[in-house]
Amino acid sequence: MTTRILPAVGDPDAARSVTTLLGQLPDTEPAAPVGDSTSLLDTLARLAAESLDELPEVVLVHERIGPVPALELIREVALRFPAVGVVLVTSDASPGLYSAAMDSGARGLVGLPMSYEVLAQRIQSAAGWSAGVRRHLGQSAEVLTGPGGTVVTVSGAKGGVGTTITAIQLALAAQASGHTAALIDLDLQSGDVASYLDVQFRRSIADLSAIQDISPRVLQDALFSHETGLGLLLAPAEGERAEDVSDRLVRQIVSALRHRYEIVVIDCGTHMTTANAAAIEMADTTLLVTTPDVVTVRATKRMVRLWDRLQIRKAEETVTVVNRHTRNTEIQPSLVEKITATRVARAAVPANFKELQAVVDAGRLQDLEPKSTVKQALWSLAGELGLVKNPQGAERPGGRFRGERAPYGAGGRRSGRAK
């Protein structure tokens, strides 16, 4: 049997060396190296979407891969693609690193400079393990062949553009359409998801910081089950605890949630941290909320360039959402798209302060009336992004998805602007 190998090597010289040695191994089919962690995960996700059999048997991860550290990348691959055997290539072959690599999910370790015999042995061992897992999965009616649920991050170009309300309504739309949905508040210093959804809960994402491995039971204890059916993972009440939430923790949480929920929406706020940067990098879809004014559009462009410099997300992979849109403003979505070089969502959210004020003041955003033009626009956005099972339902004026409750206190309808 031919063993397919996908090398992930960031350094060009190391990539040439790895490719040359892999080409000498018998019964192997090495692919062209991918240069960073994002490309590796995207490639595996694309292959997995086609079929389990399309995935390579072995992934070779070089120690200097980036921007995600090698061990974190190995953990991510092992969680999302368990039928792939991962081998770490490193100059540090110490017992400590070997143990850490195995804990992360690696099936072997090859020291630098690479030995032909050791590389062949590790590749053969990882390929054998992969074949065994695939035989086991092949006997099951449900075969895990992809990355699990869809992850969407919502970030703001600057404060006060409507990031949190956008994230909440997207999650509510997904849940109401019949999906299982979770909402994470990664605006760690000033998150307001709990305030908007009338939630009082002691646990937060910061409580998971001391836990090495996020098990389903541990995750369940930290999640709040909201009356709408959403699973909520909230920001800490004490802003200083934001420092406890690392990018490693976020990667573990997002990986665990995407295998438990069909839709995971993450409110990343407006300030870049290593934690929300990890979420944005892992997301299937990244939204950037802006408003049609010069200052905010400039901030949007700065944020897009920052993500590109940090290799978090490319401009063409970012979807910009125009909030508080009016037809008579000089800055229209087409101009925003041209300035930012991003893709602007077709669903622009209208400026309608009065619709939101009552539910925002009451902390009951889930009770926003179906006839609200703001809600209709945001639920249409959810349909555009593929987050709902019935996209037409989001666009039907005054319509509700199956299972959506009538508004609480519908008699007094006033509203406010998205925060």
Side-chain angles (χ1 to χ4, degrees):
M1 183 185 75
T2 301
T3 300
R4 292 165 298 179
I5 307 170
L6 178 59
V9 187
D11 181 71
D13 293 334
R16 285 191 292 270
S17 175
V18 168
T19 302
T20 300
L21 197 53
L22 288 177
Q24 299 174 11
L25 298 178
D27 300 322
T28 60
E29 184 182 321
V34 293
D36 56 66
S37 57
T38 303
S39 299
L40 173 62
L41 294 174
D42 288 348
T43 300
L44 293 176
R46 186 180 68 254
L47 295 173
E50 298 177 12
S51 167
L52 175 69
D53 294 331
E54 294 298 319
L55 285 168
E57 284 76 23
V58 179
V59 166
L60 211 61
V61 176
H62 192 270
E63 63 179 353
R64 291 199 297 272
I65 194 69
V68 177
L71 292 182
E72 293 301 321
L73 179 60
I74 290 172
R75 183 185 297 274
E76 179 70 9
V77 172
L79 283 170
R80 293 176 59 177
F81 311 100
V84 175
V86 187
V87 176
L88 174 64
V89 178
T90 176
S91 57
D92 178 11
S94 65
L97 182 61
Y98 181 86
S99 177
M102 297 303 106
D103 288 342
S104 297
R107 307 308 309 174
L109 184 148
V110 177
L112 290 171
M114 286 190 295
S115 161
Y116 175 88
E117 290 76 13
V118 173
L119 179 63
Q121 182 181 1
R122 298 294 183 267
I123 293 291
Q124 183 179 10
S125 176
W129 179 87
S130 174
V133 172
R134 295 178 194 216
R135 283 195 300 270
H136 174 73
L137 291 175
Q139 298 170 0
S140 174
E142 295 185 2
V143 178
L144 179 61
T145 60
T150 299
V151 176
V152 179
T153 58
V154 185
S155 303
K158 59 188 292 293
V161 297
T163 307
T164 300
I165 285 181
T166 300
I168 290 174
Q169 288 297 331
L170 291 179
L172 288 173
Q175 180 69 33
S177 75
H179 283 304
T180 56
L183 176 61
I184 308 176
D185 193 348
L186 269 186
D187 189 358
L188 297 173
Q189 289 190 334
S190 54
D192 286 323
V193 168
S195 299
Y196 279 128
L197 292 176
D198 191 23
V199 172
Q200 293 183 353
F201 191 54
R202 294 182 179 178
R203 301 275 183 136
S204 77
I205 189 172
D207 294 316
L208 298 173
S209 59
I211 300 173
Q212 187 68 21
D213 290 309
I214 308 298
S215 67
R217 181 167 182 175
V218 168
L219 191 61
Q220 178 62 38
D221 289 341
L223 286 168
F224 177 83
S225 296
H226 193 255
E227 61 184 63
T228 59
L230 289 177
L232 302 180
L233 187 56
L234 304 171
E238 305 83 10
E240 63 272 17
R241 296 198 65 192
E243 298 179 358
D244 297 337
V245 182
S246 66
D247 57 334
R248 178 180 180 276
L249 175 62
V250 169
R251 293 183 192 282
Q252 285 187 298
I253 290 171
V254 172
S255 296
L257 286 176
R258 75 156 73 234
H259 286 295
R260 178 171 178 174
Y261 292 92
E262 294 173 295
I263 304 294
V264 180
V265 180
I266 306 175
D267 178 2
C268 290
T270 60
H271 300 290
M272 285 302 302
T273 65
T274 56
N276 56 32
I280 292 169
E281 186 181 24
M282 293 180 68
D284 300 289
T285 302
T286 293
L287 302 184
L288 187 55
V289 183
T290 189
T291 51
D293 58 85
V294 173
V295 173
T296 308
V297 172
R298 285 177 177 171
T300 305
K301 187 175 182 178
R302 285 198 304 271
M303 185 70 79
V304 170
R305 288 180 172 178
L306 174 63
W307 289 353
D308 185 63
R309 290 195 303 272
L310 297 178
Q311 298 183 16
I312 296 172
R313 182 73 53 163
K314 297 178 181 178
E316 59 269 23
E317 298 172 346
T318 302
V319 179
T320 300
V321 179
V322 179
N323 189 23
R324 300 176 198 152
H325 173 259
T326 59
R327 291 185 178 181
N328 57 3
T329 183
E330 293 185 8
I331 299 179
Q332 293 296 315
S334 57
L335 181 58
V336 174
E337 186 170 68
K338 182 179 180 180
I339 293 173
T340 63
T342 62
R343 180 171 70 85
V344 172
R346 295 191 303 273
V349 185
N352 202 327
F353 183 88
K354 292 183 178 180
E355 287 184 358
L356 291 170
Q357 185 174 357
V359 292
V360 168
D361 290 346
R364 300 279 304 182
L365 196 58
Q366 65 269 30
D367 294 334
L368 184 60
E369 290 193 18
K371 292 182 180 180
S372 161
T373 58
V374 173
K375 180 172 182 175
Q376 288 180 21
L378 288 171
W379 286 37
S380 293
L381 175 63
E384 180 181 338
L385 298 174
L387 305 184
V388 299
K389 291 185 177 181
N390 177 22
Q392 292 77 17
E395 300 170 358
R396 186 174 62 252
R400 294 194 189 103
F401 285 125
R402 176 177 57 82
E404 185 190 359
R405 304 192 323 156
Y408 175 86
R413 189 183 94 186
R414 288 176 297 157
S415 272
R417 181 162 40 190
K419 176 179 178 295

